[in-house]
């Protein structure tokens, strides 16, 4: 009897153990991702040929007890490697696990390789060649606290690669995992099967192969055991012939259906089905899973599917209504069916408004997922609303407060000539978000929750927020953008999140601005500085104006609209300086009197010789950009910055200094000693929509 180790994904182990038992393998031990079993050579071959759930089969050569001082080279040298490969064979080696004397797995692999080739050199005078990509024989050592386990790769490249998949969708499901989902769903080969988010068709193709009883390994050109001296080709050829004879013939009718909204995915699915030899039994259609209008079969069956579930919180606004509408379509047309759905975000299942019957844990690539079963009974489908239920009843208080704020602020904003403003800013502490209106679209910023708040509770509250915002504001979910706002460090406000490149025009006090709601953490317009910008517009007529740390140049635009004689805009980012130029263009502001300088503001000030009547400076709280000579901290460095402006301020001129550091304390005495007169104008620069949060920024006027 031989000992084999069958590898698979987390969550598939018990299913794989059952599969091994079906082929009369004796399961010894089941651990995470590994099933160890004893079997004769024939069974080892059968598993390579027939397993739908294993990703790899390894043959155990030897397990050696070790201590923390054991040397891998010396332990490996005890094994007679000439029994397991020939000199003419090329080899590759792998190392998995940790040991005190092995710094990394690459070093472990080198030690094993050296032990093997040195033994051949001593015995034969020659050494075998190494081929990492396509070796004749591949060995692996697995390290644990008590043993070095030496294994031979018996199957070769991952068994999930059946050979039929020429293309895959954006979120591919590996073939062995698709087979595991089918098994866990309770689907039987004679039942109709439907995947409404089929992507490249893996679930549907795997089901058809199971129904046809087609061995997954029949299409593979090469198995690793072919290069092993102990290989018995006669047994292998007999098993292949038996597998070909075991294929079933199905009635020539469709009983496997897949649909997807993406035509490109469907083209791949059809190609894959054709290569797998199941095209006659499957049907792929272009359809929206949220608008299903009839069941694919009169006979109730199983729906097994892998819908989008996103990897970022920002995906929630589009996914919640997708799940809600999908569920409503199922309730209308699929009574009596079973729904089996895999997702890495179980909170999204709340939007289905269904009671689960079972749930299993799997990993899909790097993601931990739940595979949940729902029976669409008469009672289940009676719930006809497509609005997902709230996790917490008290979440309705958020919706009520948002509705109240909207009613109060809409008339005010229209009167003021504002198309963008804040609707909600953590008014209720448990719902720690900001909601900003941008002329028909909404940005929801989730503030980072305190460490004392349970992460799961926080996410469920966020789910309730995202669920209610479109309903309260009367917008579609695609008009809502969700962002996570954490404590800012360095130049993080300048980091791109996406590359959608979608800009829209908004307005305030007669000025127009381009905002980007999706690509960056900030949108390009700081709404809380709106009053300050208007003050600059009102004071700029005939004056020379300097805007430092200008971002997208919104204060510069106001100065120009106010009739400034000249406006100089300085920022370190080319991206935002170009954005500022576009803001000037859409306001019809052109001419040599408008200058744009890409530079570190502190370095630029040190070499500037011009003077300005009005200087606006709104520095970041902190920055350690590589393009700056030193780090910047507004609390530590503001006095030095303002004193640098002394030579740049024209007689009778004024500096407006602001920042958004919470608990900022201006060093009034140091500035007074330097000849500055300081006036705190924070309160009068606080807009109506930010009065619920008076600490949003500080602002000062400085004169000499």
């Amino acid at each position: 009897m031989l000992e084999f180790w069958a590898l698979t994904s987390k969550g598939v182990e018990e299913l794989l153990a059952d599969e091994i038992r079906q082929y009369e393998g004796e399961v010894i031990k089941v651990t995470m991702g590994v099933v160890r079993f004893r079997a004769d050579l024939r069974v080892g071959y059968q598993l390579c040929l027939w397993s739908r759930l294993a990703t790899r089969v390894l043959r155990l050569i030897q397990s050696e007890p070790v201590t923390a001082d054991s040397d891998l080279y010396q332990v490996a040298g005890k094994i007679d490697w000439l029994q397991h490969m020939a000199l003419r064979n090329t080899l590759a080696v792998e190392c998995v696990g940790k040991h005190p004397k092995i710094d990394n797995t690459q070093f472990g692999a080198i030690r094993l390789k050296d032990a093997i080739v040195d033994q051949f050199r001593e015995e034969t005078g020659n050494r075998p060649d190494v081929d990492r990509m396509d070796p004749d024989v591949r060995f692996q050592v697995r390290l644990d606290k008590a043993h070095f386990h030496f294994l031979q790769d018996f199957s070769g490249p991952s068994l999930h690669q059946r050979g039929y998949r020429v293309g895959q969708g954006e979120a591919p499901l590996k073939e062995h995992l698709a087979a595991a989902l089918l098994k866990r769903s309770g689907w039987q080969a004679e039942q109709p099967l439907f995947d409404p988010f089929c992507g490249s068709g893996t679930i549907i193709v795997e089901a058809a192969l199971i129904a046809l009883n087609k061995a997954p390994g029949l299409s593979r050109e090469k198995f690793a055991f072919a290069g092993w001296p102990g290989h018995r080709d006669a047994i292998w050829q007999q098993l292949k012939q038996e597998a070909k004879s075991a294929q079933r013939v199905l009635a020539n009718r469709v009983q496997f259906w897949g649909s997807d909204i993406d035509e490109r995915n469907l083209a791949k699915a059809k190609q894959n089905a054709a290569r797998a030899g199941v095209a006659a039994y499957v049907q792929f259609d272009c359809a929206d899973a949220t608008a299903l209008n009839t069941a694919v079969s009169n006979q109730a069956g199983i729906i097994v599917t892998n819908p989008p579930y996103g990897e970022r919180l920002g995906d929630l606004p589009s996914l919640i209504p997708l799940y809600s509408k999908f569920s409503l379509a199922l309730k209308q047309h699929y009574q009596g069916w079973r729904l089996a759905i895999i997702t890495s975000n179980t909170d999204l299942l709340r939007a289905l408004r269904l009671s689960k019957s079972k749930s299993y844990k799997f990993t899909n690539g790097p993601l931990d997922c739940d595979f949940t079963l729902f029976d669409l009974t008469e009672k289940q489908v009676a719930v006809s609303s497509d609005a997902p239920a709230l996790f917490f009843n008290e979440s309705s208080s958020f919706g009520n407060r948002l509705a109240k704020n909207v009613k109060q602020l809409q008339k005010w904003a229209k009167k003021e000539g504002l198309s963008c403003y804040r609707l909600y800013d953590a008014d209720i502490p448990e719902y720690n978000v900001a909601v900003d209106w941008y002329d028909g679209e909404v940005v929801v910023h989730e503030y980072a929750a305190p460490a004392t708040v349970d992460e799961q509770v926080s996410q469920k509250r966020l789910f309730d927020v995202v669920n209610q915002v479109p309903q309260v504001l009367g917008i579609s979910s695609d008009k809502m953008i969700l962002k996570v706002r954490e404590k800012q460090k360095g130049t993080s406000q300048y980091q791109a999140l996406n590359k959608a490149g979608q800009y829209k025009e908004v307005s305030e006090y007669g000025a127009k601005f381009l905002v980007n709601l999706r690509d960056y953490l900030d949108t390009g317009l700081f709404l809380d500085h709106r009053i300050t910008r208007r003050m600059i517009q009102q004071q700029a007529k005939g004056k020379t104006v300097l805007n430092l740390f200008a971002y997208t140049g919104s204060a510069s635009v106001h100065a120009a609209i106010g009739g400034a004689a000249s406006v100089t805009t300085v920022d370190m980012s080319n991206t935002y300086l170009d954005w500022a130029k576009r803001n000037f263009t859409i306001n019809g502001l052109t001419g040599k009197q408008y200058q744009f300088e890409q530079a570190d503001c502190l370095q630029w000030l040190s070499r500037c010789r011009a003077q300005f009547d009005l200087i606006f400076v709104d520095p970041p709280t902190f920055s350690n950009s590589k393009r700056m000579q030193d780090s910047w901290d507004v609390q530590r460095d503001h006095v030095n910055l303002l004193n640098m402006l002394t030579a740049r301020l024209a007689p009778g001129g004024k500096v407006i200094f602001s920042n958004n550091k919470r608990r900022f304390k201006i060093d009034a005495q140091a500035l007074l000693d330097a000849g500055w007169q300081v006036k705190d104008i924070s309160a009068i620069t606080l807009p109506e929509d930010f009065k619920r949060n008076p600490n949003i920024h500080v602002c000062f006027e400085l004169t000499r």
Side-chain angles (χ1 to χ4, degrees):
M1 295 286 280
L2 303 171
E3 181 175 331
F4 296 93
W5 292 27
L7 311 186
T8 191
S9 298
K10 182 180 174 183
V12 186
E13 299 93 346
E14 290 298 338
L15 292 172
L16 175 57
D18 288 342
E19 184 181 58
I20 290 168
R21 293 185 186 103
Q22 289 175 11
Y23 291 96
E24 300 182 354
E26 179 192 349
V27 174
I28 303 169
K29 188 175 183 180
V30 178
T31 56
M32 189 172 70
V34 181
V35 180
R36 298 172 62 174
F37 65 99
R38 292 192 187 96
D40 60 22
L41 187 60
R42 181 183 180 87
V43 172
Y45 287 152
Q46 281 183 305
L47 265 296
C48 289
L49 184 61
W50 279 99
S51 179
R52 301 185 190 278
L53 302 170
T55 55
R56 202 169 173 188
V57 177
L58 308 173
R59 181 183 66 88
L60 180 67
I61 296 172
Q62 199 165 309
S63 291
E64 288 288 339
V66 297
T67 67
D69 295 325
S70 296
D71 181 75
L72 176 56
Y73 179 89
Q74 293 178 348
V75 175
K78 298 177 183 178
I79 299 171
D80 184 359
W81 293 102
L82 278 72
Q83 290 186 10
H84 305 289
M85 66 174 289
L87 178 62
R88 67 178 183 278
N89 294 146
T90 57
L91 83 152
V93 293
E94 299 171 343
C95 178
V96 178
K98 296 180 180 180
H99 183 269
K101 291 189 70 174
I102 298 174
D103 295 335
N104 56 61
T105 55
Q106 185 176 4
F107 174 71
I110 292 172
R111 295 294 286 166
L112 174 57
K113 182 265 297 180
D114 288 346
I116 296 171
V117 299
D118 287 352
Q119 188 180 100
F120 268 88
R121 185 184 291 111
E122 290 174 7
E123 294 290 333
T124 69
N126 292 291
R127 51 167 287 171
D129 291 329
V130 173
D131 183 346
R132 294 184 180 88
M133 301 303 295
D134 188 27
D136 296 321
V137 183
R138 186 183 297 271
F139 297 112
Q140 183 181 102
V141 58
R142 289 191 162 233
L143 317 175
D144 62 32
K145 293 180 180 178
H147 294 88
F148 288 162
H149 304 284
F150 298 94
L151 303 111
Q152 172 210 345
D153 184 1
F154 197 71
S155 59
S158 181
L159 293 172
H160 85 269
Q161 299 170 353
R162 318 287 202 222
Y164 63 76
R165 192 155 72 177
V166 293
Q168 58 191 32
E170 291 184 2
L173 194 70
K174 289 184 177 179
E175 292 88 329
H176 75 289
L177 182 55
L181 300 187
L182 289 165
K183 186 73 174 177
R184 282 297 191 206
S185 73
W187 172 76
Q188 300 297 317
E190 66 275 6
Q191 288 180 291
L193 185 79
F194 178 38
D195 181 358
F197 298 93
C198 72
S200 55
T202 305
I203 291 174
I204 297 300
V205 172
E206 285 296 310
L209 291 173
I210 292 171
L212 287 165
N213 200 38
K214 185 173 181 179
L218 271 179
S219 300
R220 289 173 67 95
E221 296 181 357
K222 181 180 179 182
F223 286 88
F225 55 67
W228 173 47
H231 173 51
R232 300 294 178 265
D233 195 58
I235 299 175
W236 173 241
Q237 294 303 327
Q238 181 186 3
L239 288 173
K240 285 176 66 177
Q241 195 58 46
E242 290 174 0
K244 292 176 183 177
S245 301
Q247 293 187 40
R248 289 192 284 262
V249 177
L250 301 181
N252 191 20
R253 61 181 178 83
V254 172
Q255 63 186 72
F256 309 99
W257 289 266
S259 64
D260 200 277
I261 201 168
D262 190 330
E263 289 275 14
R264 294 168 299 179
N265 283 341
L266 290 172
K268 295 173 184 176
K270 292 174 182 177
Q271 284 182 300
N272 293 341
R275 285 172 62 91
V278 300
Y281 309 104
V282 305
Q283 180 175 316
F284 292 109
D285 297 305
C286 185
D288 183 349
T290 66
L292 303 173
N293 53 25
T294 185
V296 294
S297 171
N298 293 328
Q299 178 189 353
I302 309 287
I303 299 165
V304 182
T305 194
N306 175 33
Y309 38 81
E311 298 180 30
R312 301 176 299 112
L313 285 176
D315 298 321
L316 277 179
S318 62
L319 293 177
I320 290 175
L322 182 146
Y323 278 65
S324 300
K325 293 175 182 177
F326 171 54
S327 177
L328 185 59
L330 293 181
K331 292 170 184 176
Q332 292 172 339
H333 303 291
Y334 283 85
Q335 181 178 336
W337 288 62
R338 168 174 284 182
L339 170 65
I341 188 168
I342 186 170
T343 178
S344 69
N345 188 342
T346 55
D347 289 344
L348 284 169
L349 299 181
R350 185 81 171 185
L352 297 173
R353 302 195 72 172
L354 293 169
S355 298
K356 69 180 181 182
S357 58
K358 291 181 181 179
S359 186
Y360 303 94
K361 300 287 186 183
F362 288 102
T363 57
N364 183 13
L367 300 176
D368 290 328
C369 295
D370 282 74
F371 184 57
T372 307
L373 311 185
F374 303 90
D375 291 320
L376 301 177
T377 62
E378 182 178 356
K379 182 179 179 181
Q380 287 263 57
V381 302
V383 181
S384 59
S385 171
D386 66 346
L390 298 176
F391 278 101
F392 305 109
N393 291 330
E394 59 268 25
S395 293
S396 59
S397 61
F398 163 80
N400 294 335
R401 178 61 65 90
L402 180 62
K404 179 182 177 182
N405 291 353
V406 170
K407 188 175 181 180
Q408 292 176 343
L409 291 169
Q410 273 184 339
K411 292 182 180 178
W412 162 82
K414 185 176 181 180
K415 181 180 178 182
E416 292 286 304
L418 308 175
S419 67
C420 47
Y421 47 95
R422 178 151 294 183
L423 291 171
Y424 176 95
D425 196 356
D427 299 27
I428 302 171
E430 290 80 9
Y431 297 87
N432 196 23
V433 300
V435 181
D436 293 334
W437 176 264
Y438 285 90
D439 197 19
E441 294 187 89
V442 174
V443 176
V444 178
H445 292 284
E446 186 205 24
Y447 295 113
T452 54
V453 177
D454 182 85
E455 185 177 348
Q456 291 187 343
V457 171
S458 179
Q459 179 148 337
K460 285 177 169 60
R461 285 175 176 159
L462 180 63
F463 186 101
D464 286 350
V465 166
V466 172
N467 176 27
Q468 293 182 84
V469 167
Q471 298 175 35
V472 172
L473 301 183
I475 60 172
S476 59
S477 61
D478 63 332
K479 300 297 183 184
M480 176 172 56
I481 300 94
L482 175 63
K483 299 178 181 180
V484 178
R485 179 179 293 276
E486 300 175 345
K487 272 191 174 181
Q488 298 301 292
K489 293 183 178 180
T491 57
S492 54
Q493 76 176 42
Y494 294 108
Q495 302 303 307
L497 303 178
N498 296 299
K499 294 183 180 180
Q502 298 177 16
Y503 291 82
K504 72 178 297 175
E505 187 178 302
V506 295
S507 61
E508 64 174 30
Y509 302 129
K512 302 173 185 177
F513 298 107
L514 293 174
V515 292
N516 186 318
L517 307 183
R518 292 169 174 81
D519 290 359
Y520 303 91
L521 189 59
D522 292 309
T523 65
L525 188 66
F526 294 126
L527 302 181
D528 63 297
H529 288 289
R530 188 188 309 115
I531 300 297
T532 309
R533 290 191 289 268
R534 184 175 64 174
M535 289 175 53
I536 291 171
Q537 181 187 129
Q538 293 168 341
Q539 298 176 26
K541 188 173 180 62
K543 295 180 179 177
T544 54
V545 178
L546 172 63
N547 183 8
L548 294 172
F549 306 96
Y551 191 34
T552 60
S554 54
S556 299
V557 168
H558 274 283
I561 289 176
S566 69
V567 181
T568 302
T569 303
V570 186
D571 196 272
M572 190 163 54
S573 166
N574 267 323
T575 298
Y576 290 95
L577 208 62
D578 289 342
W579 195 336
K581 293 174 183 178
R582 294 173 65 192
N583 280 336
F584 267 68
T585 299
I586 65 171
N587 284 278
L589 301 169
T590 59
K592 294 182 179 180
Q593 69 271 36
Y594 306 129
Q595 299 293 316
F596 299 88
E597 300 284 346
Q598 188 271 315
D600 173 348
C601 290
L602 299 179
Q603 294 180 34
W604 184 86
L605 280 173
S606 67
R607 62 177 183 265
C608 176
R609 295 295 175 263
Q611 288 192 320
F612 302 89
D613 301 311
L614 180 60
I615 301 175
F616 177 56
V617 53
D618 180 30
T621 296
F622 178 84
S623 179
N624 58 0
S625 170
K626 294 178 181 178
R627 288 180 290 180
M628 295 181 65
Q629 288 184 339
D630 301 298
S631 67
W632 161 266
D633 182 291
V634 70
Q635 183 65 68
R636 181 192 68 201
D637 301 323
H638 72 279
V639 172
N640 180 57
L641 168 64
L642 292 170
N643 285 338
M644 289 180 73
L645 299 179
T646 302
R648 306 283 67 80
L649 190 64
K654 178 190 295 184
V655 173
I656 298 177
F657 167 61
S658 68
N659 71 79
N660 289 79
K661 179 178 174 61
R662 302 296 174 98
R663 296 183 294 276
F664 174 81
K665 299 294 183 184
I666 196 165
D667 193 341
Q669 187 59 53
L671 292 170
L672 183 63
D673 292 344
W676 290 103
Q677 299 296 317
V678 181
K679 179 181 179 182
D680 188 342
I681 58 171
S682 301
I684 63 173
T685 59
L686 190 67
E688 181 71 23
D689 48 332
F690 283 87
K691 287 187 176 177
R692 302 181 304 281
N693 185 4
N695 297 318
I696 190 70
H697 72 234
V698 292
C699 194
F700 304 89
E701 281 186 354
L702 291 91
T703 55
R704 298 188 68 80

